[in-house]
Amino acid sequence: PAEKEAHGIDGHGRALADEMERVLQSHSFVKKVSVLAFALGALDARYALAVLSRRGLLEAQATPSSRWTPRRQRRPALQLHNFVAMGAPMLGLRAFGIYRFVFPAIRVRMVQALLGNGSASKRDAEQLCLADSGGAEHSGAL
C-alpha cells in the first residue's frame, strides 16, 4: 500500500523524524547530530527534532543517563550539536505594510497560491499565516 502523504508542518515534521530515526538506527556510531535547514524546511526540521526529543532519541546535552546499557533496547539519545535555520519564518508570516489590511482568510489564499494549490499547501499556508485551528488531531502538538 502507498504511504499516506504528510500535510502541514506537523505532518512533514513527523515524517522527517521517522526518516531520521530509520537512518540513525542503521548508523549506531552517531553520537551528535547537526541540522542545516532552509525556509519552510527549517520549520519541518524544528518539529522533527521536537518529535525525536519527545521519543527520547535526542537530548539537548549529554548526561550520564544517556549511556547505553544492555537493559535499554534502543540506542542512546543523541546530542543536538547545531541547528542552523536560514530564511525560516519561525514566527509565521506576519502581515506587513498593505498586507496588514488584508483579511486573514485572503492572506492564507495568497500564500497558498504561492505554494501551489492543493490540500497540503492550504494546511501549510494556514500554519504559516498562524491561522490554523489546531483541532483534535493536533492536541499533542509541540
Side-chain angles (χ1 to χ4, degrees):
E3 289 186 30
K4 184 179 177 184
E5 185 179 340
H7 296 294
I9 295 165
D10 50 342
H12 298 153
R14 277 191 292 275
L16 179 58
D18 293 342
E19 182 64 23
M20 289 174 74
E21 187 173 354
R22 279 192 292 276
V23 169
L24 291 169
Q25 285 175 351
S26 63
H27 295 83
S28 60
F29 58 89
V30 175
K31 304 288 184 235
K32 294 181 180 180
V33 64
S34 292
V35 176
L36 172 66
F38 180 74
L40 184 58
L43 299 180
D44 299 338
R46 185 177 73 174
Y47 197 96
L49 292 173
V51 169
L52 290 175
S53 178
R54 182 178 274 179
R55 292 178 185 172
L57 300 173
L58 184 73
E59 58 188 29
Q61 56 182 233
T63 62
S65 65
S66 67
R67 293 188 188 136
W68 185 83
T69 58
R71 62 191 155 151
R72 283 182 73 179
Q73 295 300 316
R74 48 201 255 190
R75 65 172 284 126
L78 293 168
Q79 181 180 5
L80 178 61
H81 188 67
N82 290 307
F83 178 75
V84 180
M86 297 179 291
M90 291 295 187
L91 299 177
L93 298 177
R94 307 270 180 180
F96 294 106
I98 194 166
Y99 294 107
R100 70 176 177 232
F101 299 110
V102 176
F103 289 110
I106 295 173
R107 270 186 290 196
V108 168
R109 288 187 181 160
M110 291 169 65
V111 171
Q112 182 182 4
L114 292 172
L115 295 173
N117 289 318
S119 62
S121 63
K122 181 174 191 284
R123 182 148 168 75
D124 287 339
E126 288 172 344
Q127 289 177 333
L128 284 171
C129 291
L130 307 176
D132 62 319
S133 60
E137 67 182 21
H138 309 294
S139 61
L142 302 170

